Amino acid sequence: MAVELTADQIRHVLQGISVPPQPQIMVDLQMEQVMPIPDLRSIARLISHDPGLSGSLLKIVNSKYFGLANRIASIQQAVNLLGCDSVINLINAQSIKGEMSDETIVTLNRFWDTAQDVAMTCLTLAKRIGYQAPDEAYTLGLFHDCGIPLMLKRFPNYMAVLEEAYASGGAEQRIVDVENRVLSTNHAVVGYFTAKSWNLPLHLCDAIANHHNAYSLFTDDSGRDAQLKTLLAILKMAEHICACHRVLGAQAEDHEWAGIEQLVLEYVGLSDYDFQNLRDSIRELGVG
């Protein structure tokens, strides 16, 4: 049974977790984004000032996952082609790694590798099923587990708790229920507050908060939260394809996916056969 945290419990535990400040590049880009007519040249110039982010953006845009016909050679080209919102989503997603990396924590190496794989897979899946904002799916893929590095810094035994959570997760018990019981908070809650403090779009914050609530959401036939369900369907397919249950949870079987597979596939209109083909084609791109 789901165990929800009270506001007081969340507030108490978050006092011991240091959420990094929003990167300045995100602040500057979001200021441009809210202008009546965003200046694409200013956006390109801001991104170009950071060689690391510039290189990451061009690498993503020119990857097989994005599927553009012609190679993009400059940040200005990328901004002009993709538009303000898409480029800013991609940059926001990349910014998190720089702010949350801790070279003293070796465990995070596998975490970030997996997060990048999930993000690229989300991008591909979003395009394949016709989601109108694949860059949002990419951002969710990279951000959704951003609470894990912060939990690891706060709780030295966190990875052991996470492994226990993945071992017992499924339709009857959520992965975050184990975290709530042992630590009185969970990585989805911490990730939600981080994303919210960094001014990510609220629907992405909600997806981060609910990314282990898929079973209850997909068994709700009220028709509400269509955008949330679509984003979570993309994310849960991507997590399964990238074997997060093995990399993060040290489990041979994906118990969470087993409980929601048919619900998710039915929601996005994919048969088992379609999904297997899609999974195999994505893995051929180097993921999984």
Side-chain angles (χ1 to χ4, degrees):
M1 181 172 175
V3 178
E4 300 299 341
L5 300 172
T6 67
D8 286 342
Q9 284 177 311
I10 292 171
R11 193 178 305 111
H12 175 72
V13 176
L14 286 178
Q15 288 177 351
I17 295 176
S18 177
V19 174
Q22 185 182 23
Q24 189 60 43
I25 181 71
M26 289 179 67
V27 177
D28 294 341
L29 289 173
Q30 286 167 3
M31 289 181 66
E32 283 291 341
Q33 193 175 23
V34 299
M35 298 294 287
I37 304 178
D39 187 339
L40 298 185
R41 287 176 300 178
S42 295
I43 290 170
R45 188 163 55 250
L46 285 168
I47 296 169
S48 297
H49 287 163
D50 188 317
L53 288 178
S54 297
S56 294
L57 178 62
L58 290 177
K59 184 177 180 180
I60 294 165
V61 170
N62 286 313
S63 70
K64 298 174 186 175
Y65 301 89
F66 227 87
L68 297 179
N70 299 311
R71 187 170 182 81
I72 303 300
S74 71
I75 297 300
Q76 188 68 65
Q77 278 184 295
V79 173
N80 291 344
L81 179 67
L82 300 177
C84 168
D85 292 344
S86 293
V87 166
I88 288 176
N89 276 332
L90 294 175
I91 288 296
N92 285 350
Q94 288 298 314
S95 296
I96 189 175
K97 185 173 181 179
E99 292 301 318
M100 293 192 176
S101 291
D102 187 338
E103 296 305 321
T104 65
I105 302 177
V106 178
T107 309
L108 291 188
N109 291 335
R110 64 172 174 165
F111 167 77
W112 287 119
D113 287 346
T114 303
Q116 186 69 59
D117 284 347
V118 171
M120 286 297 199
T121 302
C122 282
L123 180 65
T124 303
L125 289 169
K127 292 169 75 70
R128 297 284 180 89
I129 70 171
Y131 184 64
Q132 73 277 14
D135 51 277
E136 287 186 355
Y138 175 89
T139 301
L140 177 62
L142 204 54
F143 256 99
H144 76 285
D145 274 340
C146 69
I148 288 180
L150 300 178
M151 292 287 284
L152 188 55
K153 290 181 182 181
R154 172 68 175 80
F155 304 106
N157 67 327
Y158 178 69
M159 293 310 294
V161 175
L162 195 61
E163 289 176 10
E164 178 187 347
Y166 269 93
S168 57
E172 297 299 319
Q173 179 169 257
R174 303 173 304 172
I175 286 172
V176 292
D177 288 336
V178 174
E179 295 181 64
N180 290 345
R181 174 173 54 78
V182 178
L183 304 173
S184 297
T185 190
N186 65 72
H187 70 277
V189 166
V190 175
Y192 168 80
F193 281 102
T194 302
K196 195 173 180 184
S197 73
W198 285 19
N199 295 313
L200 258 64
L202 288 179
H203 63 280
L204 290 182
C205 296
D206 288 340
I208 291 169
N210 285 287
H211 75 273
H212 288 300
N213 291 337
Y215 182 80
S216 62
L217 284 167
F218 284 103
T219 51
D220 178 359
D221 296 326
S222 64
R224 295 176 299 175
D225 300 321
Q227 183 181 38
L228 175 62
K229 286 181 180 179
T230 302
L231 281 169
L232 288 181
I234 292 168
L235 177 63
K236 301 322 285 188
M237 288 189 290
E239 287 186 314
H240 178 68
I241 290 170
C242 296
C244 292
H245 59 285
R246 287 202 302 264
V247 181
L248 298 178
Q251 300 303 309
E253 301 295 329
D254 192 345
H255 304 299
E256 184 181 43
W257 176 249
I260 62 174
E261 178 179 4
Q262 294 308 313
L263 294 168
V264 169
L265 295 184
E266 181 179 339
Y267 186 80
V268 297
L270 292 175
S271 67
D272 290 336
Y273 179 77
D274 292 334
F275 178 68
Q276 297 304 324
N277 285 337
L278 188 52
R279 182 196 66 184
D280 292 344
S281 67
I282 290 173
R283 287 179 173 172
E284 286 175 6
L285 293 175
V287 176

